[in-house]
Structures are given as C-alpha cells and as structure tokens.
Amino acid sequence: MISGAVLEGLRNFLPEENILLQEPMAGHTTFRVGGPADCLLQPENEEQLKSVQKYLQAVGIPWFVTGNGSNLLVSDQGYAGAVLQIGQKMSRITVEDCILRVQAGASMAQAARAALEYGLTGLEFASGIPGTVGGGVVMNAGAYGGEMSQVVEQVNVIDCHGERMELQNETMEFGYRSSVIRDNPFIVTEVIFRLEKGDRDQIRSTMEELAARRREKQPLEYPSAGSTFKRPEGNFAGKLIMDAGLRGFQIGGARVSDKHCGFIINTGGATARDIRDVIVRVQEQVKDRFHVELETEVVLLGF
C-alpha cells in the first residue's frame, strides 16, 4: 500500500493524472488479466522517470517497469509496489537520414510504420510484434528472420542510480530473446535504429505479407502474450506441446491454442491462476515426455 506521505512525494515529480492508485493490471496487459498494482506511474519524459526511480528507491518502494504488458502475466493478487509504465506518453519518433530515434514507449508497430513512411528498410519484421520498442530491445524481439540486434545501433538507459547510460550494439550482449538489460536494473528510455534506404512499395508489401502469415498461423482473435515459451535448442515449443497431446488443453478460461500450440490464450474469463496453471502443466508434460525444459518468454509478476 502506498502511504499518503509517499503519494505526496510522487506528486512532486508526476502530474496527478499520471499516478493511478490500486490500478487493475488487467487493463495494462495483453492477457487482459491481473490484479491491482499499489500504484501505476506514467512518466512523460526521461527527467520524470529518473526522479521517480530515485525517489522510489529512497523510500524503499519496490518497482517494476513495463510497456504495454504484451509479455507480462500479473497475478490475480496484483503487485505490492509501483509499476512504471513506459508507454504512449513516451513514444516520440524522429528520423534523420537512415537513423530512427524512438522513445521506449512507442510500439514496435509504430516504429515499423515510421520506417515505411520514410522509405527505410530493416524493421519490417517488427510491424506485427505487439510490444513496445523498450520491451523489444530488452528481449531482443524478433520474427520471420529479423530481430532487434540486426538494426539497433544504440540504447539509452537509466541505471540503478538514476544516471543516463548509452549502450552500443556490441555492449548489449544480444542473444536469443535476451540482452544485457534482462540481467541488470536498467530502464530503456530510447532506442536508436540504423536502417537502410529501401523501396516503399516493397517495404509495404513485405509488411502486408508478414501480417497475412500472422493472421493465418496465430490466434490473434484472443488475448494472449504471443509465444508463451522460448524456443528450446534444436526444437520448437509449439511442436513439442502438440506432440505431448496438449493442443486445446484448458484450465478455466486459459487454453493452449488449437491454431498455434506455442500460444496460451484467454478464451474469456481466464484468471492469471488459470494461465499459470496451464503453463506449469505444459512444462511438466513436455519435460515428462521429451526431457525438455520449456522456459517462459512471458514474465510473471506477483506470483
């Protein structure tokens, strides 16, 4: 619970309307589940973010950073602390020659559309990824042969002391769905992409083709967090889940998608506990059948 004194302190750094108390996280995750965070804070710029982060640390309030919650499962009990949401209030995009500067709260789709508008190629793969640019760079998001590591030149972050740092591509330690930021208390504020000049019609055509492939193969009509599990080395999570006989497996409103077994979907009325229980059952059965441990891409908060 956020005390009156802490709340008063937060008002020194953020507008009143950007401080949401006991905010249900179901409205801020793509699973559409999750109990209330003690408070949800929405900074509008880097200075506000730095001030809030320093203040929360000074008063001992735990905090967690999210974008649009596209890779997040929050427990039904919620989160005892502050959620810093880097979203549309920090989503400015500027373009100069082949350089795209994108604030962390912009969506991957927004960045891809901006690249298209300026005739820049390299971000087509990102056009259908539901997360923010900040979240995308943290997990080295990718699809259809493209990933962030191929196009990111620099990532601007705030470190654990509230100081600004600039991380170059070679210091990001990009790996499969990972980066140096996953293991450090950094908050991404801006990502700088280096792209190439391209043909707008070809870029648009590629984006449309990838969108069609997604609609065909992914259960986009249901709330989900995209691929629930990382791809195990030498295999595919969806195939292992299907071969384990779990296609359509359901607990409450949470279900292994019939369309793509790598997705766990909210068919309506699912709880976070339902989704967590399906994840655990899938992990247990795949390990039992194939001796493979599936690691979640989805981040669990408050469990």
Side-chain angles (χ1 to χ4, degrees), residues 77-117:
Q77 286 69 47
Y79 177 63
V83 173
L84 298 176
Q85 185 177 53
I86 315 300
Q88 287 302 302
K89 296 181 189 298
M90 288 184 63
S91 60
R92 185 180 66 250
I93 300 175
T94 57
V95 182
E96 184 177 344
D97 194 25
C98 290
I99 299 296
L100 201 69
R101 301 182 70 99
V102 185
Q103 284 190 309
S107 71
M108 296 282 279
Q110 282 176 299
R113 287 196 298 270
L116 167 63
E117 180 182 347

Short mmCIF file of all heavy atoms in Angstrom, two decimals, residues 77-117:
data_model
loop_
_atom_site.label_atom_id
_atom_site.label_comp_id
_atom_site.label_asym_id
_atom_site.label_seq_id
_atom_site.Cartn_x
_atom_site.Cartn_y
_atom_site.Cartn_z
N GLN A 77 -3.63 -11.42 -7.43
CA GLN A 77 -3.50 -10.60 -6.22
C GLN A 77 -2.85 -9.25 -6.54
O GLN A 77 -2.85 -8.34 -5.71
CB GLN A 77 -2.65 -11.32 -5.17
CG GLN A 77 -3.37 -12.47 -4.49
CD GLN A 77 -3.62 -13.65 -5.43
OE1 GLN A 77 -2.72 -14.07 -6.15
NE2 GLN A 77 -4.84 -14.17 -5.42
N GLY A 78 -2.29 -9.12 -7.73
CA GLY A 78 -1.68 -7.86 -8.14
C GLY A 78 -0.22 -7.77 -7.74
O GLY A 78 0.47 -8.77 -7.55
N TYR A 79 0.25 -6.54 -7.59
CA TYR A 79 1.67 -6.30 -7.31
C TYR A 79 1.80 -5.30 -6.17
O TYR A 79 1.24 -4.19 -6.23
CB TYR A 79 2.36 -5.75 -8.56
CG TYR A 79 3.82 -5.39 -8.36
CD1 TYR A 79 4.76 -6.36 -8.03
CD2 TYR A 79 4.24 -4.08 -8.50
CE1 TYR A 79 6.10 -6.03 -7.85
CE2 TYR A 79 5.58 -3.74 -8.32
CZ TYR A 79 6.50 -4.73 -8.00
OH TYR A 79 7.83 -4.39 -7.82
N ALA A 80 2.53 -5.69 -5.13
CA ALA A 80 2.73 -4.82 -3.97
C ALA A 80 3.92 -3.91 -4.24
O ALA A 80 5.04 -4.16 -3.80
CB ALA A 80 2.96 -5.66 -2.72
N GLY A 81 3.67 -2.85 -4.96
CA GLY A 81 4.72 -1.91 -5.30
C GLY A 81 4.24 -0.99 -6.41
O GLY A 81 3.04 -0.89 -6.69
N ALA A 82 5.20 -0.31 -7.03
CA ALA A 82 4.88 0.63 -8.10
C ALA A 82 5.25 0.03 -9.45
O ALA A 82 6.32 -0.55 -9.61
CB ALA A 82 5.65 1.94 -7.89
N VAL A 83 4.35 0.18 -10.40
CA VAL A 83 4.63 -0.21 -11.78
C VAL A 83 4.91 1.07 -12.57
O VAL A 83 4.07 1.98 -12.60
CB VAL A 83 3.44 -0.98 -12.41
CG1 VAL A 83 3.69 -1.21 -13.89
CG2 VAL A 83 3.24 -2.31 -11.69
N LEU A 84 6.10 1.14 -13.16
CA LEU A 84 6.46 2.28 -14.02
C LEU A 84 6.10 1.90 -15.44
O LEU A 84 6.70 0.99 -16.02
CB LEU A 84 7.96 2.58 -13.91
CG LEU A 84 8.47 2.99 -12.53
CD1 LEU A 84 9.98 3.15 -12.55
CD2 LEU A 84 7.81 4.27 -12.09
N GLN A 85 5.14 2.57 -16.00
CA GLN A 85 4.68 2.23 -17.35
C GLN A 85 5.29 3.22 -18.35
O GLN A 85 4.96 4.40 -18.37
CB GLN A 85 3.16 2.28 -17.43
CG GLN A 85 2.62 1.82 -18.79
CD GLN A 85 1.11 1.81 -18.83
OE1 GLN A 85 0.47 2.80 -18.52
NE2 GLN A 85 0.54 0.68 -19.21
N ILE A 86 6.18 2.67 -19.20
CA ILE A 86 6.79 3.48 -20.27
C ILE A 86 5.96 3.21 -21.52
O ILE A 86 6.17 2.22 -22.22
CB ILE A 86 8.26 3.09 -20.50
CG1 ILE A 86 9.01 2.93 -19.18
CG2 ILE A 86 8.94 4.12 -21.41
CD1 ILE A 86 9.03 4.18 -18.32
N GLY A 87 4.98 4.07 -21.76
CA GLY A 87 4.03 3.83 -22.84
C GLY A 87 3.89 5.01 -23.76
O GLY A 87 4.86 5.70 -24.08
N GLN A 88 2.66 5.27 -24.17
CA GLN A 88 2.42 6.28 -25.20
C GLN A 88 2.79 7.70 -24.78
O GLN A 88 2.98 8.56 -25.62
CB GLN A 88 0.95 6.23 -25.64
CG GLN A 88 0.62 5.01 -26.51
CD GLN A 88 1.48 4.96 -27.77
OE1 GLN A 88 1.47 5.88 -28.58
NE2 GLN A 88 2.23 3.88 -27.94
N LYS A 89 2.93 7.94 -23.49
CA LYS A 89 3.37 9.27 -23.04
C LYS A 89 4.86 9.49 -23.33
O LYS A 89 5.35 10.61 -23.22
CB LYS A 89 3.06 9.46 -21.56
CG LYS A 89 1.57 9.44 -21.23
CD LYS A 89 1.33 9.66 -19.74
CE LYS A 89 -0.13 9.43 -19.38
NZ LYS A 89 -1.06 10.36 -20.04
N MET A 90 5.57 8.40 -23.66
CA MET A 90 6.99 8.48 -24.05
C MET A 90 7.16 7.70 -25.35
O MET A 90 7.74 6.62 -25.36
CB MET A 90 7.91 7.93 -22.95
CG MET A 90 8.02 8.80 -21.73
SD MET A 90 9.21 8.15 -20.50
CE MET A 90 10.76 8.19 -21.41
N SER A 91 6.63 8.23 -26.44
CA SER A 91 6.61 7.47 -27.71
C SER A 91 7.03 8.30 -28.92
O SER A 91 6.69 7.98 -30.05
CB SER A 91 5.22 6.89 -27.93
OG SER A 91 4.25 7.93 -28.00
N ARG A 92 7.78 9.36 -28.69
CA ARG A 92 8.20 10.22 -29.81
C ARG A 92 9.16 9.48 -30.74
O ARG A 92 10.03 8.73 -30.30
CB ARG A 92 8.88 11.48 -29.27
CG ARG A 92 9.24 12.51 -30.35
CD ARG A 92 9.92 13.73 -29.78
NE ARG A 92 11.21 13.40 -29.21
CZ ARG A 92 11.49 13.41 -27.92
NH1 ARG A 92 10.56 13.72 -27.04
NH2 ARG A 92 12.70 13.10 -27.48
N ILE A 93 8.98 9.72 -32.04
CA ILE A 93 9.85 9.13 -33.07
C ILE A 93 10.37 10.25 -33.96
O ILE A 93 9.59 11.08 -34.44
CB ILE A 93 9.09 8.10 -33.93
CG1 ILE A 93 8.56 6.94 -33.06
CG2 ILE A 93 9.99 7.55 -35.04
CD1 ILE A 93 7.69 5.95 -33.81
N THR A 94 11.68 10.28 -34.17
CA THR A 94 12.27 11.25 -35.10
C THR A 94 13.17 10.51 -36.08
O THR A 94 13.74 9.45 -35.75
CB THR A 94 13.09 12.32 -34.36
OG1 THR A 94 14.11 11.68 -33.58
CG2 THR A 94 12.21 13.14 -33.44
N VAL A 95 13.27 11.05 -37.28
CA VAL A 95 14.04 10.40 -38.36
C VAL A 95 15.00 11.40 -38.96
O VAL A 95 14.64 12.55 -39.24
CB VAL A 95 13.10 9.86 -39.46
CG1 VAL A 95 13.90 9.13 -40.54
CG2 VAL A 95 12.05 8.92 -38.86
N GLU A 96 16.23 10.95 -39.14
CA GLU A 96 17.24 11.77 -39.83
C GLU A 96 18.08 10.84 -40.69
O GLU A 96 18.79 9.98 -40.17
CB GLU A 96 18.12 12.52 -38.84
CG GLU A 96 19.11 13.45 -39.52
CD GLU A 96 19.93 14.26 -38.53
OE1 GLU A 96 19.54 14.32 -37.34
OE2 GLU A 96 20.95 14.81 -38.95
N ASP A 97 17.96 11.01 -42.00
CA ASP A 97 18.65 10.15 -42.96
C ASP A 97 18.23 8.69 -42.70
O ASP A 97 17.05 8.39 -42.79
CB ASP A 97 20.16 10.35 -42.86
CG ASP A 97 20.90 9.74 -44.06
OD1 ASP A 97 20.27 9.62 -45.14
OD2 ASP A 97 22.08 9.40 -43.92
N CYS A 98 19.16 7.82 -42.34
CA CYS A 98 18.81 6.41 -42.10
C CYS A 98 18.73 6.08 -40.60
O CYS A 98 18.69 4.90 -40.22
CB CYS A 98 19.84 5.50 -42.76
SG CYS A 98 19.77 5.51 -44.57
N ILE A 99 18.70 7.12 -39.77
CA ILE A 99 18.65 6.92 -38.32
C ILE A 99 17.23 7.19 -37.81
O ILE A 99 16.66 8.24 -38.06
CB ILE A 99 19.63 7.86 -37.60
CG1 ILE A 99 21.07 7.58 -38.05
CG2 ILE A 99 19.50 7.72 -36.09
CD1 ILE A 99 21.57 6.20 -37.69
N LEU A 100 16.70 6.20 -37.09
CA LEU A 100 15.38 6.31 -36.48
C LEU A 100 15.59 6.36 -34.97
O LEU A 100 16.12 5.41 -34.38
CB LEU A 100 14.54 5.08 -36.87
CG LEU A 100 13.02 5.15 -36.79
CD1 LEU A 100 12.48 6.08 -37.86
CD2 LEU A 100 12.42 3.75 -36.96
N ARG A 101 15.21 7.48 -34.33
CA ARG A 101 15.31 7.61 -32.88
C ARG A 101 13.91 7.42 -32.30
O ARG A 101 12.99 8.18 -32.62
CB ARG A 101 15.85 8.98 -32.48
CG ARG A 101 17.23 9.29 -33.03
CD ARG A 101 17.71 10.65 -32.54
NE ARG A 101 18.01 10.61 -31.11
CZ ARG A 101 19.25 10.47 -30.61
NH1 ARG A 101 20.29 10.37 -31.44
NH2 ARG A 101 19.45 10.44 -29.31
N VAL A 102 13.76 6.43 -31.45
CA VAL A 102 12.43 6.04 -30.98
C VAL A 102 12.43 5.98 -29.45
O VAL A 102 13.21 5.25 -28.85
CB VAL A 102 12.02 4.66 -31.56
CG1 VAL A 102 10.59 4.33 -31.15
CG2 VAL A 102 12.18 4.64 -33.07
N GLN A 103 11.53 6.74 -28.82
CA GLN A 103 11.38 6.62 -27.38
C GLN A 103 10.83 5.24 -27.03
O GLN A 103 10.08 4.64 -27.79
CB GLN A 103 10.47 7.71 -26.84
CG GLN A 103 11.13 9.08 -26.77
CD GLN A 103 10.28 10.08 -26.00
OE1 GLN A 103 9.09 10.24 -26.28
NE2 GLN A 103 10.87 10.75 -25.02
N ALA A 104 11.20 4.78 -25.85
CA ALA A 104 10.94 3.39 -25.46
C ALA A 104 9.47 3.03 -25.42
O ALA A 104 9.10 1.86 -25.59
CB ALA A 104 11.57 3.11 -24.10
N GLY A 105 8.57 4.01 -25.22
CA GLY A 105 7.15 3.70 -25.11
C GLY A 105 6.42 3.55 -26.42
O GLY A 105 5.26 3.13 -26.44
N ALA A 106 7.08 3.88 -27.53
CA ALA A 106 6.45 3.67 -28.84
C ALA A 106 6.32 2.18 -29.10
O ALA A 106 7.16 1.38 -28.68
CB ALA A 106 7.27 4.33 -29.93
N SER A 107 5.27 1.79 -29.79
CA SER A 107 5.11 0.37 -30.10
C SER A 107 6.04 -0.03 -31.24
O SER A 107 6.49 0.82 -32.04
CB SER A 107 3.66 0.07 -30.51
OG SER A 107 3.37 0.63 -31.78
N MET A 108 6.33 -1.31 -31.32
CA MET A 108 7.15 -1.82 -32.42
C MET A 108 6.47 -1.51 -33.75
O MET A 108 7.12 -1.16 -34.74
CB MET A 108 7.35 -3.32 -32.26
CG MET A 108 8.13 -3.71 -31.02
SD MET A 108 9.91 -3.48 -31.19
CE MET A 108 10.34 -4.98 -32.08
N ALA A 109 5.14 -1.62 -33.77
CA ALA A 109 4.39 -1.34 -34.99
C ALA A 109 4.52 0.12 -35.40
O ALA A 109 4.65 0.45 -36.59
CB ALA A 109 2.92 -1.71 -34.81
N GLN A 110 4.49 1.03 -34.42
CA GLN A 110 4.67 2.46 -34.72
C GLN A 110 6.04 2.71 -35.34
O GLN A 110 6.17 3.49 -36.29
CB GLN A 110 4.52 3.29 -33.44
CG GLN A 110 3.10 3.50 -32.97
CD GLN A 110 3.06 4.25 -31.65
OE1 GLN A 110 3.59 3.79 -30.63
NE2 GLN A 110 2.47 5.44 -31.67
N ALA A 111 7.07 2.09 -34.79
CA ALA A 111 8.42 2.26 -35.32
C ALA A 111 8.50 1.73 -36.75
O ALA A 111 9.11 2.37 -37.63
CB ALA A 111 9.43 1.55 -34.43
N ALA A 112 7.88 0.57 -37.00
CA ALA A 112 7.91 0.00 -38.34
C ALA A 112 7.16 0.89 -39.33
O ALA A 112 7.60 1.06 -40.48
CB ALA A 112 7.30 -1.40 -38.32
N ARG A 113 6.04 1.47 -38.90
CA ARG A 113 5.28 2.36 -39.79
C ARG A 113 6.06 3.64 -40.10
O ARG A 113 6.02 4.15 -41.22
CB ARG A 113 3.93 2.70 -39.17
CG ARG A 113 2.93 1.55 -39.18
CD ARG A 113 1.51 2.05 -38.93
NE ARG A 113 1.37 2.67 -37.62
CZ ARG A 113 1.04 2.00 -36.52
NH1 ARG A 113 0.83 0.69 -36.56
NH2 ARG A 113 0.91 2.64 -35.36
N ALA A 114 6.79 4.15 -39.10
CA ALA A 114 7.61 5.34 -39.34
C ALA A 114 8.72 5.03 -40.34
O ALA A 114 9.01 5.85 -41.23
CB ALA A 114 8.22 5.83 -38.02
N ALA A 115 9.33 3.86 -40.22
CA ALA A 115 10.37 3.46 -41.17
C ALA A 115 9.78 3.38 -42.58
O ALA A 115 10.39 3.86 -43.55
CB ALA A 115 10.96 2.12 -40.76
N LEU A 116 8.61 2.81 -42.70
CA LEU A 116 7.93 2.73 -44.00
C LEU A 116 7.68 4.12 -44.57
O LEU A 116 7.95 4.38 -45.76
CB LEU A 116 6.61 1.97 -43.84
CG LEU A 116 5.62 2.05 -45.02
CD1 LEU A 116 6.22 1.42 -46.28
CD2 LEU A 116 4.30 1.38 -44.66
N GLU A 117 7.19 5.02 -43.74
CA GLU A 117 6.87 6.37 -44.19
C GLU A 117 8.08 7.07 -44.80
O GLU A 117 7.97 7.82 -45.77
CB GLU A 117 6.33 7.19 -43.01
CG GLU A 117 5.95 8.62 -43.36
CD GLU A 117 5.47 9.40 -42.14
OE1 GLU A 117 5.19 8.76 -41.10
OE2 GLU A 117 5.38 10.64 -42.23
#
